[in-house]
Amino acid sequence: RELNEAPIDEGQIGGAEEKASVAAEARADEASEDKPPPAQAPSLRHEPSGPQSATPSAVPAVRKLQCREAFERLSMKEKKYLYHLSAASWACARLILHQTSPESPKIAALLHTVCGDRVYEKVKPEGAVTKAELDHFHEFLIRFWANLGNYDALTGSKIIPRMSLASFEKVLVRHASYLPSWKRGQILRSFDQVKDALFADGKQGERG
């Protein structure tokens, strides 16, 4: 609404002030209806929601990082810098595993041995091992390494395999069958050490 800007005499001052006040209030009301609510400052503290065990419904996509062409365009000095930076990052990954949960380093050693020599490319869904079991096993591998431990880095929820303990062990044995005999015994002993913690319900991760 626009106020009447025509001159008014002193006798009309009181009425004009009242009209101006009403008009100002009306404009304020209209502006408040169109104006979005003020954005809240982001919280630095994460509040986990939902169940405390992370069980996604789909297997995360895995894609090979295509970086050879870009790497070859680097100078020798840049290549050395990148190599040592990558090596340092992986060396520090062990610290993150210990900070995530007491069982994470042992789980990491187990999975590293099981998937050694690119065995995961040889294991197919056949015989006693189903496609669903392999998918759930690969899903756990991806989420474990992505978070460097069996707790989600963002939510603190525990990452538990979406399969039974017996199915998980069955897939491990299938992988181990492609490895040397001394590694097979190591895999089974390592699994016995972590299986209870691996499948136990989690309340809150070490990272929080």
Side-chain angles (χ1 to χ4, degrees), residues 114 119 123-124 128-138 141 163-178 187 191:
V114 165
V119 166
V123 178
K124 306 297 180 183
V129 176
T130 66
K131 183 179 184 301
E133 289 172 330
L134 267 184
D135 286 345
H136 291 156
F137 181 77
H138 291 155
L141 289 180
M163 56 200 302
S164 68
L165 188 152
S167 294
F168 194 92
E169 184 174 12
K170 182 171 56 176
V171 176
L172 285 180
V173 171
R174 174 64 62 84
H175 281 71
S177 66
Y178 291 92
I187 289 171
F191 182 63

Side-chain angles (χ1 to χ4, degrees), residues 29-108:
D29 291 340
E30 292 174 358
S32 63
E33 291 178 357
D34 298 333
K35 185 178 180 180
Q40 296 182 352
S43 173
L44 298 179
R45 178 179 179 179
H46 177 77
E47 297 293 342
S49 59
Q52 288 299 314
S53 58
T55 53
S57 58
V59 179
V62 180
R63 295 180 177 85
K64 186 176 181 180
L65 181 62
Q66 303 293 340
C67 60
R68 178 181 295 275
E69 182 179 349
F71 184 79
E72 293 300 333
R73 290 200 298 264
L74 299 176
S75 66
M76 183 55 64
K77 182 178 180 180
E78 290 172 331
K79 288 179 180 179
K80 289 181 178 180
Y81 177 82
L82 185 59
Y83 167 77
H84 289 292
L85 181 63
S86 175
S89 299
W90 182 240
C92 291
R94 299 180 181 180
L95 299 177
I96 304 300
L97 288 166
H98 281 278
Q99 291 174 341
T100 301
S101 69
E103 66 270 15
S104 284
K106 295 181 180 179
I107 297 174

Side-chain angles (χ1 to χ4, degrees), residues 139-202:
E139 172 192 288
F140 177 76
L141 289 180
I142 294 167
R143 303 198 69 232
F144 180 89
W145 289 119
N147 292 278
L148 284 179
N150 60 336
Y151 283 86
D152 190 282
L154 295 178
T155 66
S157 300
K158 187 174 182 180
I159 303 171
I160 301 175
R162 292 199 303 136
M163 56 200 302
S164 68
L165 188 152
S167 294
F168 194 92
E169 184 174 12
K170 182 171 56 176
V171 176
L172 285 180
V173 171
R174 174 64 62 84
H175 281 71
S177 66
Y178 291 92
L179 296 171
S181 58
W182 66 271
K183 284 190 176 182
R184 299 174 196 169
Q186 178 182 338
I187 289 171
L188 294 178
R189 288 192 298 271
S190 297
F191 182 63
D192 284 339
Q193 294 176 1
V194 301
K195 62 183 181 182
D196 292 337
L198 183 62
F199 282 87
D201 290 336

